[in-house]
Amino acid sequence: MRFMHYSEEEGCKVGANLLNNYGEAVAMVLFVIGFGNLMLQSNLIKKIIGLNIMDTAVYLFLAEKGYITGRAAPIVADGVQSAEAYINPVPSGLVLTGIVVSVSVSALMLSLTIRLYQRYHTLDLDEISLQLKKEGL
Amino acid sequence: MSRMKSEEEYRKTKAFHFFRWLSGEKDPYIGNLEMRPQKEYMRAEDSILDRMRESQMVMDKVYDTRHNRWLLLFRRFYRIMAVIFCIMLAGLLLFTVSYLPPTGNASNPDNNEVASRYIESGMQETGAVNIVTGMILTYRAFDTFGETNVLFIATCCVMIMLMVEDAELKKQEVMNDRRFEPKNDAILQGTAMVLVPVIFIFGIYIILNGHLSPGGGFSGGATIGAGMILYASAFSFKDTQRFFDEKVYKIAKISALCVYGLIGIYYYVTGANGIENHIPLGIPGHIVSAGIIFPINICVGLEVACTMYAFYALFRRGGL
Amino acid sequence: MSGQMELEFVQNFPCFSIMFCMFAGIISSAFKEKIARVLNIAVLTVNIILSAAVLLFTVRAGNYVYVMGKFPAPWGNELRIGVLEAGLALFFCVIMLLCLLGGRHKLVQEVEEGKQGLYYVLTDLMLSSLLALIYTNDLFTAYVFVEINTISACGLIMIRQNGRTIEAAVRYMIMSLLGSGLFLVGICMLYDLTGHLLMSNIQAEIGRIVAEGAYRPPLLVTIAIISVGLAIKSALFPFHAWLPDAYGYSTVSSAAVLSSLVSKGYIFLLFKIIYRVIGFDVFHDSKIVNMLFIFGLMGMVFGSLSAIKENDVRRMIAFSSVAQIGYIYMGIGMGTQVGMVASVFHVLSHAATKSLLFISAIGLTDVSGGSRKFIELTGSGYRNKCAGMAFSVGSLSMVGVPMFSGFISKLLFSQAAVQNEGKMLPTLIVLGISTILNAIYFMKTVIRIYTPVDDVEYPTVSWGENKIYAAVLLCFVALNVFLGICSQPIVDLIEKGLGMFA
């Protein structure tokens, strides 16, 4: 692909920043673990846990993004207001929003799980589909 | 009528048909071109029973997940493909991470004029000492309003699912609830009596100090919600309903969201039209300062506390 | 702030319409069904008037930027309003009003007493999220409103509360959350590479990145992740498993609103990201268009094949939705401006036709004893003439008979295909196959509902019995015919809107 050729010509190697960005690498591995759980597990509670792992991984990624070595948290202390004294405040705001969304969605999924369990007495989504097909609604 | 042919032969010719159609005696389309009504055809009783038995056999065989060889093979194949897909996705994302700008570097693309203005002029323009709170509640106030509505609509959906309206079912839920929970547990009640006031005061402190230190409406509201949950667990719901029942919940939630919305819309419209909004910014560092951040924090805290408690009550008993 | 021009009062209307819907939703949650319904219809009517005024203004004066608050981009939040956005807002409001009015009598039957008011809260917030997705100029606002959209769509599916709908809602939430997770990771990576969250600023930065070449591999992967995330949420071909259950078993106004509006909201967000965040040329060069194109083609064929196998009329219509979304992605995948115009027109045409099909199908099943199987539906066109006629109009439009809107979309797609040498042959072949398949299952149904049956124990319903329902069907038919006949001004408006979209 055209993109790739250019980067190789300019000497940008794969893995140049992988060890330096180890926080983000761990975040991405956690994201895939959560993603896989949400998609592939048949137990509903495990799916919800996978969803939470996925969201937490995104917060870790954002927290890493905001960090700058040697600087303080963005609360104005002692009247110092120069941009070199504090880390980037934007990713922290994004994490706040993400946490609220994650809580709401988890609560919604859990209420759906309760209703399904009360009806079909199983937490396994495949079994529920099977029972529905046999009911033939 | 024809002179050369006989009557029977004439009736078979095209000319006869044409003149008959022309005179209007008989329309050749009626009875020929329309769809005929379908007649139900009767089948023998045995064949119907046979059919039903066969289809039941097929259903049993297809859904026989334990012994169906194809189904087992498909499942194994699906699992292997799924693991391969996840590994490929992980590899792709790690490949991307290796190209991203290095963490902690001060000259990253995202440390640009946006972040500098927030830090350098944040306190003067928003009045908040906590730059992050100033950012989400003044510069990007619309996002936070959307986020509060996410909580609101999640509560509505959980109410649709779990709220029990019928009086009989309500009584049954109450009975079910008390069957498994310990009633009047001494340790829990003693701890709650000491801790709950402290938690409430701490939560109010977090909400009010959102613009001066880490905190804000969301964290403070969650703390107050946790305090209410502790109180409801230790004592019965009847005690909690003395000061927080469904009516109080509705009034609190709707007024909090409406006040937030009104402040928001005033702020957006005056800002967009270039009109000066006469909201005082106050002195940074005082509690009553920071323009719109102070009332919005209170509204958000109230709403989050109501939401947390409503989730707990709906999950446990199907009603507030 | 000093450089701001004087805004006319009309220019405040988009902000008002979004906030109106949210206020209506918040206030309706306190009241019972009657007041909630009246408030809902009032809000929809007011929004139609406001959007029409904005549309007239933008046609006259061009697009403009509305700053939410005192601080301009890139520090504050922004809305950006043009011809395309205002036109789509007007259209979506009209369709939602007609869907809710048409499905109301079934809503009263199928949903519990105390929860009917909450249904209108959900639709109010769904409308506000659609309007915000249409107007916003900020990626993170788009993410927050995508979440509101997801949660309210889940609520719309599950309000009916039988086993099928709850399982469909769970499957919908799972697929949607996968898509949201990918979308959020894409936004975070894009922020990392460019440092901005406002769409216009991101585009400038991406232009710089492509020119300099420093961060190109992650940019490519980020574009792919965002596209795949939005494609999962709008039910592109391999990710459509939740769609038939969700549309087939929920209450009819939910099915109509979901099929016409919800997936279109995400597709419009994808349009915005292609034009305003990534840039049309960069997106075309990145070869992701080819993936979307292939999946669109496969969706067209597989959706229609699955629809032919169905024995249940509502699931058949739902599978046909899969095929139509494949059409839209095929149009995006062509990578030309003409293809995009065809996709936008198909968004309008599909929204109008699919809701018409769902609402008329409910009239047909009502006079067949509530059953949805084809054997019971035989002859129902004679028992409910209004619904039968509307269903036939919808089917003819889906197949692509001239004078209806479906014909114009197929015409526009073929024109776009002919202008693109590489993709012309597969597009035209698959368009032809898909039209034949559409004809098979739609015409089969139309013939079946007009086959007279001798002994009927089901009642015949006349026009006057449910006047609102008949009026809604007439409006839908009129809209469809209007899109089919007076299509040229609409296509011109779309082209003008896309021209100033970037």
Side-chain angles (χ1 to χ4, degrees), chain B residues 178 183-184 189 193 228 230-245 309 317 320:
Chain B
R178 268 310 179 189
K183 207 170 176 158
N184 296 330
Q189 285 192 341
M193 273 211 278
M228 284 166 64
L230 178 58
Y231 188 75
S233 313
F235 304 95
S236 65
F237 269 96
K238 262 213 180 57
D239 290 327
T240 323
Q241 278 178 344
R242 266 187 305 153
F243 66 90
F244 193 86
D245 62 345
Y309 179 68
R317 278 185 7 141
L320 282 162

Side-chain angles (χ1 to χ4, degrees), chain B residues 146-260:
Chain B
E147 178 188 338
T148 325
N149 275 292
V150 170
L151 271 178
F152 170 66
I153 197 170
T155 322
C156 282
C157 285
V158 172
M159 280 212 288
I160 292 177
M161 278 271 96
L162 294 179
M163 185 113 125
V164 176
E165 303 261 317
D166 188 36
E168 269 304 313
L169 286 173
K170 247 193 182 150
K171 251 190 280 192
Q172 201 173 28
E173 287 276 345
V174 174
M175 264 179 10
N176 277 343
D177 177 47
R178 268 310 179 189
R179 203 187 305 170
F180 298 111
E181 298 284 330
K183 207 170 176 158
N184 296 330
D185 187 68
I187 297 182
L188 200 53
Q189 285 192 341
T191 324
M193 273 211 278
V194 171
L195 276 183
V196 167
V198 177
I199 294 180
F200 276 162
I201 294 182
F202 187 52
I204 296 178
Y205 161 78
I206 297 181
I207 295 179
L208 291 180
N209 268 291
H211 53 285
L212 300 174
S213 61
F218 294 102
S219 11
T223 314
I224 293 186
M228 284 166 64
I229 291 176
L230 178 58
Y231 188 75
S233 313
F235 304 95
S236 65
F237 269 96
K238 262 213 180 57
D239 290 327
T240 323
Q241 278 178 344
R242 266 187 305 153
F243 66 90
F244 193 86
D245 62 345
E246 190 162 336
K247 212 151 62 109
V248 173
Y249 165 76
K250 273 193 181 148
I251 296 177
K253 202 169 180 89
I254 293 178
S255 54
L257 280 171
C258 278
V259 167
Y260 188 175

Side-chain angles (χ1 to χ4, degrees), chain B residues 112 118 140 143 160 163 272, chain C residues 22 67 75 115 138 141 161 195:
Chain B
N112 50 8
Y118 287 159
R140 306 186 68 90
D143 290 349
I160 292 177
M163 185 113 125
Chain C
M22 287 185 163
V67 178
W75 296 279
K115 314 258 167 94
D138 179 286
T141 313
Q161 294 210 34

Side-chain angles (χ1 to χ4, degrees), chain B residues 207 227 234 262 279:
Chain B
I207 295 179
L262 286 171
I279 303 179

Side-chain angles (χ1 to χ4, degrees), chain B residues 35-40 85 89 92-93 95-102 107-118 125-126 135 138-166 250-251 253-277 279 281, chain C residues 1 4-8 12 15-16 18-20 22-23 25-27 29-32 66-72 74-77 79 112 114-115 118-119 121-122 125-126 132 138-141 144-145 147-148 151-152 154-155 158-159 161 166 182 185 189 191-198 201 205 208 214-215 217-219 221-222 225 378 382 447-448 450-455:
Chain B
M35 286 183 291
R36 296 204 167 75
Q38 289 182 341
K39 292 194 294 278
E40 264 189 66
F85 169 75
L89 184 63
L92 184 68
L93 285 172
F95 169 78
T96 315
V97 163
S98 70
Y99 273 105
L100 284 177
S107 57
N108 278 348
D110 55 345
N111 301 323
N112 50 8
E113 71 270 16
V114 181
S116 335
R117 178 167 169 172
Y118 287 159
E125 285 177 353
T126 66
M135 179 191 91
T138 315
Y139 291 100
R140 306 186 68 90
F142 192 46
D143 290 349
T144 318
F145 186 58
E147 178 188 338
T148 325
N149 275 292
V150 170
L151 271 178
F152 170 66
I153 197 170
T155 322
C156 282
C157 285
V158 172
M159 280 212 288
I160 292 177
M161 278 271 96
L162 294 179
M163 185 113 125
V164 176
E165 303 261 317
D166 188 36
K250 273 193 181 148
I251 296 177
K253 202 169 180 89
I254 293 178
S255 54
L257 280 171
C258 278
V259 167
Y260 188 175
L262 286 171
I263 296 179
I265 206 174
Y266 175 68
Y267 183 68
Y268 308 141
V269 171
T270 53
N273 285 302
I275 309 173
E276 186 64 39
N277 59 345
I279 303 179
L281 280 182
Chain C
M1 205 166 77
Q4 263 179 337
M5 304 181 307
E6 277 301 313
L7 289 181
E8 298 186 21
N12 287 315
C15 175
F16 283 162
I18 301 177
M19 302 298 282
F20 251 160
M22 287 185 163
F23 273 121
I26 293 171
I27 296 179
S29 71
F31 298 111
K32 292 276 174 221
Y66 184 86
V67 178
M68 302 279 268
K70 282 193 295 195
F71 307 101
W75 296 279
N77 227 323
L79 300 178
E112 275 179 46
K115 314 258 167 94
L118 287 175
Y119 185 80
V121 173
L122 290 173
L125 281 167
M126 154 87 62
D138 179 286
L139 261 187
F140 204 67
T141 313
V144 172
F145 281 96
E147 291 299 319
I148 294 187
I151 298 181
S152 34
C154 176
M158 71 183 188
I159 195 140
Q161 294 210 34
I166 301 182
L182 283 177
V185 165
M189 283 199 195
Y191 173 70
D192 192 25
L193 293 171
T194 58
H196 290 283
L197 286 170
L198 273 295
N201 298 91
E205 283 292 320
R208 209 177 45 88
Y215 290 121
L219 183 66
V221 174
T222 307
I225 289 181
T378 316
Y382 293 118
I447 291 178
R448 189 175 267 282
Y450 277 119
T451 306
V453 173
D454 271 336
D455 48 350

Side-chain angles (χ1 to χ4, degrees), chain C residues 114-436:
Chain C
K115 314 258 167 94
Q116 286 175 17
L118 287 175
Y119 185 80
Y120 292 110
V121 173
L122 290 173
T123 42
D124 283 330
L125 281 167
M126 154 87 62
L127 181 64
S128 77
S129 75
L130 278 173
L131 289 174
L133 283 179
I134 290 177
Y135 287 133
T136 183
N137 200 22
D138 179 286
L139 261 187
F140 204 67
T141 313
Y143 171 70
V144 172
F145 281 96
V146 158
E147 291 299 319
I148 294 187
N149 209 345
T150 306
I151 298 181
S152 34
C154 176
L156 285 181
I157 300 176
M158 71 183 188
I159 195 140
R160 197 172 167 190
Q161 294 210 34
N162 57 14
R164 276 284 195 191
T165 52
I166 301 182
E167 194 243 354
V170 168
R171 283 199 187 277
Y172 170 73
M173 280 304 279
I174 292 172
M175 291 305 282
S176 239
L177 288 168
L178 290 172
S180 287
L182 283 177
F183 186 53
L184 185 58
V185 165
I187 292 181
C188 298
M189 283 199 195
L190 205 55
Y191 173 70
D192 192 25
L193 293 171
T194 58
H196 290 283
L197 286 170
L198 273 295
M199 292 187 184
S200 330
N201 298 91
I202 298 183
Q203 191 178 31
E205 283 292 320
I206 287 186
R208 209 177 45 88
I209 289 181
V210 169
E212 281 179 15
Y215 290 121
R216 271 193 237 176
L219 183 66
L220 180 65
V221 174
T222 307
I223 297 175
I225 289 181
I226 292 184
S227 312
V228 169
L230 284 176
I232 293 180
K233 291 185 81 93
S234 53
L236 184 54
F237 164 63
F239 315 116
H240 65 284
W242 55 270
L243 204 144
D245 283 333
Y247 293 4
Y249 297 109
S250 51
T251 177
V252 75
S253 46
S254 304
V257 164
L258 282 167
S259 62
S260 356
L261 300 180
V262 169
S263 7
K264 309 302 177 298
Y266 301 132
I267 294 180
F268 189 72
L269 185 61
L270 186 61
F271 280 156
K272 253 200 216 187
I273 290 183
I274 292 175
Y275 270 90
R276 233 183 265 175
V277 173
I278 303 175
F280 195 67
D281 301 315
V282 176
F283 192 75
H284 182 68
D285 288 337
S286 68
K287 308 289 182 273
I288 299 188
V289 278
N290 294 345
M291 291 304 298
L292 292 179
F293 181 70
I294 294 175
F295 280 132
L297 290 181
M298 283 162 50
M300 280 158 70
V301 174
F302 280 103
S304 302
L305 284 176
S306 310
I308 295 180
K309 289 190 302 185
E310 278 295 326
N311 197 14
D312 176 334
V313 66
R314 279 182 62 180
R315 280 179 67 111
M316 179 193 88
I317 303 177
F319 269 113
S320 142
S321 270
V322 175
Q324 301 297 315
I325 291 182
Y327 274 73
I328 298 177
Y329 273 97
M330 173 187 80
I332 298 180
M334 279 197 238
T336 57
Q337 292 283 357
V338 192
M340 288 297 206
V341 171
S343 287
V344 174
F345 189 82
H346 197 68
V347 164
L348 299 177
S349 152
H350 180 232
T353 315
K354 197 42 68 76
S355 31
L356 166 65
L357 279 173
F358 271 116
I359 294 189
S360 51
I362 208 69
L364 295 175
T365 56
D366 272 346
V367 291
S368 311
S371 157
R372 298 126 66 119
K373 306 246 173 270
F374 284 128
I375 189 105
E376 309 277 339
L377 285 176
T378 316
S380 48
Y382 293 118
R383 299 196 284 268
N384 188 344
K385 295 197 174 45
C386 198
M389 179 205 53
F391 191 84
S392 320
V393 164
S395 310
L396 289 174
S397 165
M398 278 281 155
V399 172
V401 171
M403 228 180 56
F404 298 114
S405 56
F407 172 68
I408 303 286
S409 352
K410 290 198 183 350
L411 191 63
L412 287 172
F413 277 125
S414 321
Q415 278 178 352
V418 164
Q419 293 180 11
N420 181 345
E421 299 97 31
K423 298 179 177 158
M424 173 172 86
L425 210 50
T427 311
L428 290 177
I429 293 177
V430 175
L431 260 178
I433 295 179
S434 165
T435 308
I436 297 176

